[in-house]
Amino acid sequence: MLTNLNSKMPRLLGELDDLSHAKVSSGEFKYGKGTEIFGEAEPADYVYQVIEGAVRSHKLLPDGRRQIGAFHLPGDIFGLENGDFHRFTAEAVVDTTVRLVKRQSLERVAKTDPAILRSLRTLTSASLEHVENHVLLLGRNTARERVAAFLLEMKGRLTAAGVIVLPMNRRDIADYLGLTFETVSREFSAFHRKGYLRFLDPTQRQIVVLNAAGLTGIAQQTSAKPE
Amino acid sequence: MLTNLNSKMPRLLGELDDLSHAKVSSGEFKYGKGTEIFGEAEPADYVYQVIEGAVRSHKLLPDGRRQIGAFHLPGDIFGLENGDFHRFTAEAVVDTTVRLVKRQSLERVAKTDPAILRSLRTLTSASLEHVENHVLLLGRNTARERVAAFLLEMKGRLTAAGVIVLPMNRRDIADYLGLTFETVSREFSAFHRKGYLRFLDPTQRQIVVLNAAGLTGIAQQTSAKPE
DNA sequence: CGATGACTTGAACGCCATCAATCGCTGTGG
DNA sequence: CCACAGCGATTGATGGCGTTCAAGTCATCG
C-alpha cells in the first residue's frame, strides 16, 4: 500500500510539540494556495510539519513535465533531508499552516535525546518506504490500479466521518500517479459507475468509499495494510 | 541523472575495508547466478558490499510483475536499511562475491566513530536520492528517455576501458525501467542505428557509447551529472 | 452575466505491450 | 563431433491502454 505515514507510530508530533515549548527554535507560518515553501536544491535549513492544509512535493523535467513524490497532510513532517539540500520543491496545495523548526536545533537536541533520534530515523524510514512503494506503483501498475491505490491511501490518511475530502485537484493526482488528469477522471468515473464510490459535492472532491474491498482487489499492491 | 552511487565520495569502501581487519565481524560470501541473497520483509541483520559481480533489488506484485529498484555493482553497498527489515529481495545477477558485515557490529562501531556514522548517512542519502530520481523517470519519462538514462547511468558506473559490459539481460533492464524487454531491445537498436552506440559482442552486452551528448540530450533528466 | 477554473466525457491517435517468428550462441548428450 | 534444445536477443505485426485534442457542464466570482 502507498505508505500511510499517518498511522505510523511515533509521528514525532508529540516530540515536535514538546520541542515547540522547549529548547528548539520553532514557529508557525502560513502559505497561500499554490505558493512555494522551499525549492529543489535549496539548503535544507528547516523541517516542516503540516498543521492545517496540504502540501505537495514535486520534481520537474526541463520541459515542464511534473512528478509529485508525495502529499503531506496535517500531522505529516516534510522537508527532513538526510543530506544538506532539498531534492523536491514543496508547495501549498491549499492555504496551509505549517510549523517549522530549525534543522540545526533539531539535530542538536537529537544528540542528547535518543527518543528524538529514533523518531527522526523512523520518519526517514517511512518516507523511504513510501517512495520505494511508489516506484513499484509507477513502474508496474496500470492506471486503474494506481487510482485505486491512491483512493485507498487517501482513505487511510484523511478520512473524517467516513468521507475523504481531497485537497488536491485532478491534475495533482495525475502528476502523483504518472497519468494525465483525464485518465484520473475517467477512472474515478469508472469506480463510481461500479458503485465503489459516492461523490458528495459537485466538484467530486468529497468521496465516500462504498466498497473498499473492491478497491483493494484492484490495487494489487505487495504490502497489505491492516485496517 | 540516475544516481551514480559509484562516483559519490565516501563510499564506505575504505571504512568497510578497515572494519574487515578490525572490530567488526565481517566475511565474504559467494552467490551463484540467480540466487537470492535476502528476501523482502526478512530481518535486516547484515549489510552487504559487492566485491565482484552484480546484484539486483526488486519487488514483486502478487501476479508476478516485477520492479527492480536498483542494481548493485562492485563497490556498492546494499541491504543497509533504516528500519529492521529488508524491503526488497536481492538476487545475484551473475555469480557474485559479496562482503557482509553484521549490522549490529556496524552500528556499535558507528556510535564511537563519527566518520563511519557520516558514511552511513551519506549512503542512505544517496540511495534515497537514487530512488527519488527513479520515481521521476518511471512516472514521467518515455521509453526512449528511460533507456538513454539507463545507458548513461551504466556508462558512469561500470565503464572499463571505454566499454560498458552489462551483467544483466534485457529483461532485468526492462524491469528496472518499467518497460518490456522488447521495447528495451528496440530502443537499443534505435540508438545503434543512429550511431550513438556500438556493440562489441554478439549478445550486445558490451557497448561503446559513441555519442554521449546525444544520449544526454534525450535523457531529459533534472539533475545534470558532471562527467 | 460573462469569464474562469475544475471536472467529465467523447473521438482519434500513438506509444508501448503483446504475440510470434527467427537468429545466433552455448552447452549437453548420443 | 554433431544434433538439438534452450536461452538471450532482435525484429515484425497487431492491438490496446492511456494520451491528446476537443467539446461541454457546472460552480464560483468578478
Side-chain angles (χ1 to χ4, degrees):
Chain A
M1 201 66 14
L2 302 184
T3 309
N4 184 340
L5 294 175
N6 227 30
S7 73
K8 283 282 144 67
M9 295 216 35
R11 283 173 53 227
L12 200 71
L13 209 176
E15 285 86 345
L16 266 187
D17 264 340
D18 288 354
L19 293 178
S20 66
H21 323 306
K23 41 196 181 298
V24 174
S25 54
S26 141
E28 286 199 5
F29 208 85
K30 286 183 192 302
Y31 294 91
K33 172 174 175 173
T35 58
E36 179 174 312
I37 298 171
F38 55 76
E40 191 175 345
E42 287 179 12
D45 294 332
Y46 294 91
V47 176
Y48 303 79
Q49 182 176 35
V50 180
I51 304 299
E52 197 193 342
V55 173
R56 58 179 177 248
S57 293
H58 75 257
K59 285 174 184 281
L60 288 176
L61 289 176
D63 64 1
R65 281 174 282 176
R66 182 178 69 156
Q67 178 63 43
I68 292 177
F71 291 111
H72 311 291
L73 304 175
D76 290 351
I77 286 154
F78 67 98
L80 173 65
E81 304 290 345
N82 234 310
D84 292 331
F85 299 93
H86 291 296
R87 280 188 303 258
F88 287 94
T89 299
E91 295 168 345
V93 173
V94 293
D95 289 351
T96 297
T97 308
V98 302
R99 171 177 302 135
L100 51 90
V101 308
K102 260 200 133 52
R103 187 189 169 193
Q104 266 196 318
S105 47
L106 198 57
E107 285 179 353
R108 180 164 36 74
V109 175
K111 280 210 174 72
T112 66
D113 186 339
I116 296 281
L117 193 61
R118 198 154 12 85
S119 292
L120 290 174
R121 290 193 61 148
T122 303
L123 272 171
T124 303
S125 180
S127 95
L128 192 54
E129 182 173 356
H130 180 271
V131 67
E132 286 168 352
N133 286 331
H134 212 53
V135 161
L136 178 59
L137 182 93
L138 294 173
R140 288 300 178 211
N141 281 6
T142 64
R144 174 142 313 174
E145 289 163 355
R146 296 181 202 195
V147 174
F150 173 79
L151 285 165
L152 289 170
E153 182 188 3
M154 290 304 147
K155 175 164 147 30
R157 291 178 65 188
L158 47 66
T159 295
V163 181
I164 304 174
V165 179
L166 297 177
M168 72 291 283
N169 64 24
R170 298 293 192 257
R171 182 174 296 278
D172 287 337
I173 298 170
D175 286 349
Y176 179 60
L177 299 178
L179 301 170
T180 61
F181 70 88
E182 293 99 328
T183 297
V184 171
S185 179
R186 277 184 248 271
E187 295 304 333
F188 271 59
S189 297
F191 287 138
H192 183 241
R193 235 176 290 117
K194 282 199 192 184
Y196 289 8
L197 303 178
R198 185 150 45 103
F199 296 116
L200 299 185
D201 70 320
T203 78
Q204 325 251 85
R205 298 236 199 138
Q206 298 177 26
I207 301 172
V208 181
V209 174
L210 301 173
N211 186 349
L215 291 178
T216 307
I218 288 169
Q220 277 274 19
Q221 285 284 131
T222 193
S223 51
K225 180 184 55 186
E227 171 31 345
Chain B
M1 203 65 14
L2 303 185
T3 309
N4 185 341
L5 293 176
N6 227 28
S7 72
K8 283 282 143 67
M9 296 217 35
R11 284 171 54 227
L12 199 72
L13 209 175
E15 287 85 345
L16 266 187
D17 264 340
D18 288 354
L19 293 177
S20 66
H21 323 305
K23 40 195 181 299
V24 175
S25 55
S26 138
E28 287 200 3
F29 208 85
K30 287 183 191 302
Y31 294 91
K33 173 174 175 173
T35 58
E36 179 174 314
I37 299 170
F38 56 77
E40 192 176 345
E42 287 180 11
D45 293 333
Y46 295 91
V47 176
Y48 303 79
Q49 182 176 35
V50 180
I51 304 298
E52 197 193 342
V55 173
R56 59 179 177 248
S57 293
H58 75 258
K59 285 173 183 281
L60 288 176
L61 289 175
D63 64 1
R65 281 174 282 175
R66 183 178 69 155
Q67 178 63 44
I68 292 178
F71 292 111
H72 311 290
L73 304 175
D76 290 350
I77 286 155
F78 66 99
L80 173 66
E81 304 289 344
N82 234 310
D84 292 329
F85 299 94
H86 291 297
R87 281 190 301 259
F88 287 93
T89 299
E91 295 168 346
V93 172
V94 293
D95 289 350
T96 297
T97 308
V98 303
R99 172 177 303 136
L100 52 89
V101 309
K102 263 200 132 46
R103 187 190 169 194
Q104 267 196 319
S105 48
L106 199 57
E107 286 179 352
R108 180 164 37 75
V109 174
K111 279 209 174 74
T112 67
D113 186 338
I116 297 279
L117 193 61
R118 199 153 12 84
S119 292
L120 290 175
R121 291 194 60 149
T122 303
L123 272 171
T124 303
S125 181
S127 95
L128 191 54
E129 182 172 356
H130 181 271
V131 68
E132 286 168 353
N133 286 332
H134 213 53
V135 161
L136 178 59
L137 181 93
L138 295 173
R140 287 300 177 213
N141 281 7
T142 64
R144 174 144 312 176
E145 289 163 356
R146 296 181 202 196
V147 174
F150 173 79
L151 285 166
L152 289 171
E153 182 188 4
M154 289 306 146
K155 174 164 147 30
R157 291 178 66 189
L158 47 66
T159 296
V163 181
I164 303 173
V165 180
L166 296 177
M168 72 291 283
N169 64 22
R170 298 293 192 256
R171 182 174 296 278
D172 287 338
I173 298 171
D175 286 349
Y176 179 61
L177 299 178
L179 302 168
T180 61
F181 69 88
E182 294 99 328
T183 297
V184 171
S185 179
R186 275 185 247 272
E187 295 304 334
F188 271 62
S189 297
F191 288 138
H192 183 240
R193 235 175 291 118
K194 281 197 193 187
Y196 289 8
L197 303 178
R198 185 149 45 105
F199 296 115
L200 299 185
D201 70 322
T203 78
Q204 325 250 88
R205 298 236 199 137
Q206 299 176 25
I207 302 172
V208 181
V209 174
L210 301 173
N211 186 349
L215 291 179
T216 307
I218 288 168
Q220 276 274 21
Q221 285 283 131
T222 192
S223 52
K225 179 185 55 183
E227 176 23 354

